[in-house]
Amino acid sequence: MRQGGAEPIWDAARVSPDGRYLALRSETTSVLRDQNTGGEVPIALMAANGMPARVDPMQVGRDGSYVLFSYPEPFSGPAANGMNQLQVWYPGTGTYSAISAASNGTWSDNGVDGAGDASGAFFVFASVSQFLIVNDLNGGSDVFTKLPATGALDLISTGFAGGQGNGPSYSPSISSDGRYVAFCSGADNIVPNVLTHQVVQTYVIDLVSGRR
């Protein structure tokens, strides 16, 4: 509980793996709270007036190392397009990185969902945007990995023989060490011998070996 004042009404919360840090959203702001000290820090400040922004927290990294959140206004990179975008904040450095954006920094133009590994080195997200990669022609949602340190973006929901999945892929998650990505897909070419198109299956891909 907050000391010396009334506790706000929090309507969203995410907790770090060790339970020490909470990312909280109220009607007016979003903060990262250290449960041990009670200290709170705004997750983001609006450029226009320097006031705390009410972002949607989605995940807190190990030891509070990052907060993954969604918000229409970008805190790094070029101007966005009014759509909610996945972004990550690193409290240790106070820096932000774009997650739901192409390698050149162009933001996704449609809804996204995603997750990060424990350290904040790798992220995974899904988007129906057609311009995040060259020749995105399947007309559906795809799953990507993002490396904030370099901005590198890779399509993960590919067919086993190459090319894109021939159906929508979504609801991605990533293991704590960043090696394994799981997602749902209606494609029938993610792995061999899937006989029923558009029946949703769950897949796991080993990013090191490529095994799926």
Side-chain angles (χ1 to χ4, degrees):
M1 297 294 289
R2 176 176 295 178
Q3 302 298 316
E7 183 78 5
I9 298 175
W10 304 110
D11 57 13
R14 297 290 185 269
V15 64
S16 63
D18 62 358
R20 175 174 175 176
Y21 294 92
L22 289 175
L24 300 166
R25 185 189 68 188
S26 73
E27 294 181 351
T28 59
T29 188
S30 298
V31 301
L32 180 66
R33 175 185 293 178
D34 185 332
Q35 293 284 80
N36 286 1
T37 67
E40 294 178 357
V41 181
I43 294 173
L45 300 177
M46 293 183 289
N49 55 20
M51 297 296 291
R54 185 179 183 267
V55 305
D56 295 324
M58 300 181 67
Q59 188 173 346
V60 182
R62 181 177 57 211
D63 301 323
S65 58
Y66 73 84
V67 178
L68 179 67
F69 65 92
S70 176
Y71 195 66
E73 178 182 329
F75 296 99
S76 67
N81 47 26
M83 303 293 296
N84 275 331
Q85 304 291 346
L86 286 182
Q87 305 175 62
V88 61
W89 170 53
Y90 297 101
T93 60
T95 57
Y96 298 85
S97 290
I99 301 302
S100 57
S103 297
N104 64 5
T106 304
W107 291 98
S108 166
D109 65 353
N110 215 303
V112 294
D113 65 304
D117 67 6
S119 68
F122 289 93
F123 291 85
V124 62
F125 71 95
S127 175
V128 300
S129 290
Q130 302 298 294
F131 57 80
L132 292 177
I133 58 171
V134 177
N135 296 324
D136 186 347
L137 303 176
N138 67 357
S141 177
D142 299 301
V143 173
F144 304 88
T145 56
K146 187 66 176 285
L147 181 61
T150 64
L153 178 81
D154 289 305
L155 175 66
I156 297 302
S157 54
T158 57
F160 69 91
Q164 289 184 271
N166 59 9
S169 299
Y170 50 90
S171 297
S173 63
I174 189 168
S175 61
S176 61
D177 61 1
R179 177 168 179 170
Y180 301 97
V181 171
F183 59 91
C184 297
S185 182
D188 63 10
N189 65 338
I190 303 297
V191 297
N193 302 319
V194 176
L195 302 180
T196 306
H197 187 57
Q198 297 296 332
V199 173
V200 175
Q201 306 279 352
T202 299
Y203 300 94
V204 178
I205 296 180
D206 183 334
L207 298 181
V208 175
S209 70
R211 182 179 179 181
R212 53 179 70 191

